[in-house]
Amino acid sequence: LLPWPEGTKIKELRVLQVVPMSVPSGGPPHDTGLRVATAGDSVVPVRYVLGTAPVEEDGSAHLTVPANKEMFFQALDEKGLAVQSMRSATYLHEGERLVCQGCHEPKPTAPALKSTAGQARSGTTVLAARRPPSRLKPDVDGSNPFSYPRLVQPVLDKNCVGCHEKNKGKAPNLARDPIQRNWYASYNSLVERFGFHDYGNAMRTTPGRFGARASKLYELLQKGH
């Protein structure tokens, strides 16, 4: 329903699991005064990156996912950056098959299958359906479940902390300490000024304008910082 950024080429699907919340929405620990990232009224559900699967030239994907897990998908470009993300979730039982096309097509008419040249062609089989389903390729350590201490802080320690320590007062603190309200100092330094916050549309993500693509930190690093 919304246009893709010019030149976008989707290469993979990222599959994420949402873990059920252990407390009521808006309840503890939120009302104890703990700072909560990117959530105005609740705690943030824990996410696991289950892995990625390839997307074919015609945009089709065919993959096997774990059963009985609440999941959502992200479309990734050639750099591994998410272009768009689902804001709803789905799940499958053992042995069940799921086709995503029904929810993503106009409801009054049957979808027209297209060839790789974009021409509608009766009986065309999408590329991904001509092969066995892909197995999910696991992501890096610290992504299953997502863990800031395991995934992010080691990168900052290796590449950033030394120089930032020499420029205290001018550069934000990207070290682990001091920990405040259970958050690393680096997280508190980055989340407000350099992170991504989608306050505009809570119902959907805008293609190319969320996540790393909309992050001031990523923009800064791309300029060579």
Side-chain angles (χ1 to χ4, degrees), residues 25-103:
S25 180
H30 178 68
D31 62 9
T32 61
L34 293 179
R35 184 177 183 181
V36 177
T38 67
D41 68 340
S42 184
V43 294
V44 178
V46 174
R47 292 171 172 82
Y48 287 61
V49 178
L50 299 178
T52 57
V55 172
E56 303 292 344
E57 288 294 321
D58 62 353
S60 61
H62 186 199
L63 55 147
T64 298
V65 297
N68 304 315
K69 295 182 185 293
E70 185 178 6
M71 300 173 298
F72 67 100
F73 307 109
Q74 291 181 338
L76 309 184
D77 65 14
E78 64 276 4
K79 295 181 180 179
L81 303 181
V83 179
Q84 190 167 22
S85 180
M86 285 178 62
R87 292 302 301 269
S88 57
T90 188
Y91 64 93
L92 291 89
H93 298 295
E94 292 89 347
E96 186 178 8
R97 295 186 178 188
L98 175 71
V99 177
C100 300
Q101 193 172 30
C103 291

Side-chain angles (χ1 to χ4, degrees), residues 141-164:
D141 180 59
S143 60
N144 188 353
F146 178 81
S147 168
Y148 186 94
R150 285 167 51 195
L151 181 67
V152 180
Q153 190 61 47
V155 178
L156 300 178
D157 290 340
K158 179 180 178 180
N159 299 291
C160 312
V161 170
C163 186
H164 278 239

